[in-house]
Amino acid sequence: MGPWDTLIIVHNFLPVAMAVYACIGLVFLLGFIVFVDLKGSAMASTLQALSRPTNAFIIAMWASFPIYGIAESCFDYSDQTDKASLILAIVALGIMELSFICFSWFRAKEIFRAQLSAFWLKGLTFLVQMSPLYCFMTVIPLALQRPFKSFVFLIFVFLPATATILIDLFCVASFAKHTICADGNEKTMQASTIHKLRIVAVYGLMASLCALIALALFFLSSICVLVAPSLQPNSQVAYVYYLAWIGKDFALFGVGHSVLFMKLHLVWERQRLEKLKPAMDPTIHHFPHPVNSTASA
């Protein structure tokens, strides 16, 4: 079996493996939130906590991975499933993209406000508010007929991708600046808040870089299809296409894992500080009770 055959096998089986792995990851995430983050709270409290924006967005992100993997595995399977699987994959990617944008916004608002000027903050806020529109607009040209479909599809892919790239660049710049440079605003913050924001900045930087890599690889694979629509086996263009497409899937998982690890780290850090609170609280005195002292005397 040569390199080409290996590449095709990986390309064909990776979406299925990704869907199975994402299902396991989703179960782990839900179990972690319920049994570790919430420590077995009452059902009403648990449902309320799961519906919090940050928890809801990360759950939606990981729930979209299996849908995308199943849809991607059905590409070119038959003429009947091709269009349906493409629509399903685009919707899943839209959910994934929207969840990541909203999660980053809700989790890192303090960092954006501290690191961005008023002008750039308004621009980022506008892009976030418009994200539900452009994250799903790629589905529209699928209803059109050729020859306009391909051209319009590229436009409807380029516009939301450009907006997503701008948001990712805002995130990369803000997270990198917060991670590397000491901000004067930290002087007025508690140490726990400073550490929390630095955790968000480090993992947010990793997630944003992975998102940019995924978009770059997606564009590279799209260019390969435009250059050589037939993708002749063993050709250089076909190699580049399949490698870029596989790399795009791994980069998307990089985004999901960065957000997941951020969640885990923040919960563990909060629990660590809660354990240290009694020892650090200056109002708690570890002296014998006066009554007991008198009685023993």
Side-chain angles (χ1 to χ4, degrees), residues 113-115 182-189 194:
R113 289 168 180 165
Q115 302 298 341
D183 188 8
N185 293 331
E186 289 187 348
K187 296 178 181 178
T188 61
M189 297 180 183
I194 295 173

Side-chain angles (χ1 to χ4, degrees), residues 180-240:
I180 298 172
C181 305
D183 188 8
N185 293 331
E186 289 187 348
K187 296 178 181 178
T188 61
M189 297 180 183
Q190 296 181 352
S192 59
T193 303
I194 295 173
H195 192 53
K196 170 190 170 184
L197 292 181
R198 286 177 178 170
I199 291 173
V200 172
V202 170
Y203 288 105
L205 177 60
M206 294 167 55
S208 299
L209 289 175
C210 288
L212 287 174
I213 293 172
L215 285 169
L217 292 174
F218 173 78
F219 275 116
L220 180 58
S221 63
S222 301
I223 292 172
C224 291
V225 174
L226 291 176
V227 172
S230 59
L231 290 177
Q232 294 296 327
N234 277 311
S235 64
Q236 291 183 347
V237 176
Y239 268 106
V240 173

Side-chain angles (χ1 to χ4, degrees), residues 17-237:
M18 183 172 69
V20 174
Y21 178 84
C23 288
I24 298 173
L26 180 60
V27 172
F28 169 79
L29 172 63
L30 292 172
F32 181 84
I33 293 176
V34 173
F35 297 107
V36 179
D37 187 11
L38 304 179
K39 295 181 180 179
S41 302
M43 181 60 69
S45 301
T46 301
L47 294 176
Q48 185 178 5
L50 290 175
S51 63
R52 284 203 303 258
T54 51
N55 285 337
F57 289 132
I58 189 174
I59 291 171
M61 187 188 306
W62 272 88
S64 64
F65 278 117
I67 300 173
Y68 176 73
I70 294 171
E72 191 178 14
S73 64
C74 296
F75 285 172
D76 302 323
Y77 183 76
S78 68
D79 295 336
Q80 290 76 19
T81 61
D82 186 54
K83 186 173 182 179
S85 61
L86 181 59
I87 294 175
L88 187 60
I90 291 175
V91 171
L93 279 175
I95 295 173
M96 197 184 306
E97 184 179 5
L98 179 62
S99 300
F100 173 64
I101 291 172
C102 294
F103 177 87
S104 300
W105 174 253
F106 277 96
R107 179 58 76 186
K109 281 189 291 188
E110 296 92 341
I111 295 177
F112 295 140
R113 289 168 180 165
Q115 302 298 341
L116 296 176
S117 63
F119 175 79
W120 293 115
L121 184 60
K122 287 181 180 178
L124 177 59
T125 304
F126 174 77
L127 289 175
V128 172
Q129 290 173 343
M130 296 297 294
S131 58
L133 173 63
Y134 59 73
C135 282
F136 298 100
M137 65 185 298
T138 316
V139 180
I140 297 175
L142 295 179
L144 302 177
Q145 300 296 324
R146 295 182 184 275
F148 301 103
K149 182 189 291 186
S150 299
F151 177 72
V152 175
F153 183 77
L154 288 176
I155 294 177
F156 274 68
V157 168
F158 177 77
L159 291 178
T162 302
T164 305
I165 289 172
L166 289 175
I167 292 177
D168 290 334
L169 290 175
F170 275 122
C171 293
V172 168
S174 302
F175 293 147
K177 185 178 178 182
H178 191 87
T179 303
I180 298 172
C181 305
D183 188 8
N185 293 331
E186 289 187 348
K187 296 178 181 178
T188 61
M189 297 180 183
Q190 296 181 352
S192 59
T193 303
I194 295 173
H195 192 53
K196 170 190 170 184
L197 292 181
R198 286 177 178 170
I199 291 173
V200 172
V202 170
Y203 288 105
L205 177 60
M206 294 167 55
S208 299
L209 289 175
C210 288
L212 287 174
I213 293 172
L215 285 169
L217 292 174
F218 173 78
F219 275 116
L220 180 58
S221 63
S222 301
I223 292 172
C224 291
V225 174
L226 291 176
V227 172
S230 59
L231 290 177
Q232 294 296 327
N234 277 311
S235 64
Q236 291 183 347
V237 176

